[in-house]
Amino acid sequence: MAFRNFTSRVGAGTEPDVNREGYRIPDDFDVELAGDYVDECTDLIREAEAAVLKLESNPGDQELINTIFRMFHTIKGTSEFMELVPVAGFTHKAESLLDLIRDGKLAFSEISADLTLEAIDIIRYYLRIVETASGGEEIPVPPGKKALEEIIDRVIEDGRPLAEAVRESSHTSGPSPHYSFGRWNSSQATREKQETGMPFDDTGEAESEKTAEEESTVRVTLQRLDRLVDLVGELVISHSSLVQDPEVTSNPMLVDKLARAGSTLRELQDVALESRMVPLRATFQKMSRIVRDLARKSDKSVQFVTHGDEAEIDRNLVDLLADPLVHIIRNSIDHGIENPGERESAGKSSKAEIRLQAFQEGGKVMIEVSDDGRGIDTSKVFEKAVEKGFVQQGTDLQDEEILRLIFHPGITSTEKVTELSGRGVGLDVVRQSAERMQGKIDIYSERGIGTRISLEIPCTLAVTNGLMIQSGSEKFIIPALQIERVCRMEESRLLPRQEETEMVQISENRMPLVRLHQLFHIERETDAAEAGILVVVRSKSGNYAVQVDRVIGQQQVVGKPIRTPFALKYIAGGAILGDGRVGLILDTHSLINRVTDKKFESITQPPVSEPGEPAIV
């Protein structure tokens, strides 16, 4: 239901009781209608938040001011319609402040942007409560609501200047209000938000934003879309089985008809997958807000540049992507970006730049986060790696290899622990997230110039592009994104064992060897150690080689989880092959741990992408 149609029915000019405590949701609350209400209001506050961030760069843009005002006005009307008195009352209060800005009686400034974003966070808090609420439940008062209302009252009712109202609120509301002179005060706000389940960086659900030219849409649950994709996957499996059936292959007419059906089926599969794809625009917008807040908190001046937010990924990957991006940006601002004074002393602009960009290449998406900060001190990283036991003192490693160590737990380039980062867990989380998305991560940094971290992830996990390999009579699938190269196994490649681990040399790189037949106790046609094929696989511990008997070829498969009462080691899932048999998808990231716990070398080439002109947010 489109709630904008109801705004004119309710008393838009009335002001509900905004300070009422212990308000309960009406007993006859329509839960189904509430879902539509939350969805529409979420879209509205997302548009308002984007407009506020843009308005900071162009405070004279009247259309942006009007947009923000309209968003709040619409939320107020729909909240009144739903009889959600606290939401409508608070939104009316915030709308009154925006009205002064819209009429030119109050200049849009850094402080008013702070307060507007705080109001958006409070509305978002309300929406999370309403989303899971039922009739009769009490709506708690959001953290920071009273302090913000006091500031607005001082401006509207007492005619105080905005900065003065904020300053007075800081003195009268206690030692730790959410904002003090327009600066985020984390000690109380962060604690309150954590206690109420409202994270500061707001990395919750992300959805596709409306474009300038709105398309006709219908809301469909993710469960239905997932079911559609699953059914299409079953069709693909059935079709593949038919195509390889001997009775079919001997009949040219059937082969021709199945070929035409296969073409239609592939198109159907593409459409089903596309229905679950969403642009990265909403995720990028969240990062823009996070950069702004973290930069203010750390007293650093940062310009956030984005490009490629129209790139699309599977909706199921959106939540997995948000967390690593937050960790990368947090580390960049806290450790990578220098203070304005340091930057000026180094001959740089006092305003740093963080660039977030994405672009699609075939079935994968490249996402890069770069900054022009101080870069990573590899000597400190190496010292920490020695301390943690990842490498031995005196080991000769290139800078590229040392940089890869920073993705291990407990590794950090700084000794100072701050509220933002410094405990050596951030980039370890990023690496783990990349693995869950069946992707890979690279890092490139230069002292005094900056750092770039790139994530390469598949557009969707519903369909896996894999390399079909065979060991003995068993067939396995290795995700294509994890494969570095394929070469013949030769006796000359074998190296002396290193701490009970077999090693091979491929080009200039030494790496551990995993013999698949030994791992899964598979009988081979030959026992020759130098026979077969080597598939070089990337992993968190560096590249390693998997020995197989033969490579069947690249194939697109529909991956399925394997549910058993016992754990399946080194297996990420399964796929029905064309002959009806099950092919096991190898868990390439845990496979190496079976062979060794040691950390081996990994040489990574820096990304070389510089697409298009960016947009400055």
Side-chain angles (χ1 to χ4, degrees), residues 11 35 76 91 143 161 213 370 373 382 428 537 588 601:
K76 181 184 75 171
T91 311
E213 298 181 0
S370 58
F382 183 79
D428 176 42
V537 180
T588 57
E601 66 178 9

Side-chain angles (χ1 to χ4, degrees), residues 51 84 213 250 288 328 415 461 543 596-597 599:
L84 296 171
E213 298 181 0
S250 62
S288 178
I328 293 173
E415 298 299 328
L461 297 181
N543 293 353
T596 177
D597 292 326
K599 313 302 175 186

Side-chain angles (χ1 to χ4, degrees), residues 41 55-56 91 286 307 330 380 386 449 478 491 595 611 614:
C41 288
L55 194 59
E56 282 196 293
T91 311
K286 286 178 180 291
H307 177 75
R330 182 183 288 120
K380 290 184 178 180
V386 171
I449 303 299
I478 302 178
E491 187 175 3
V595 180

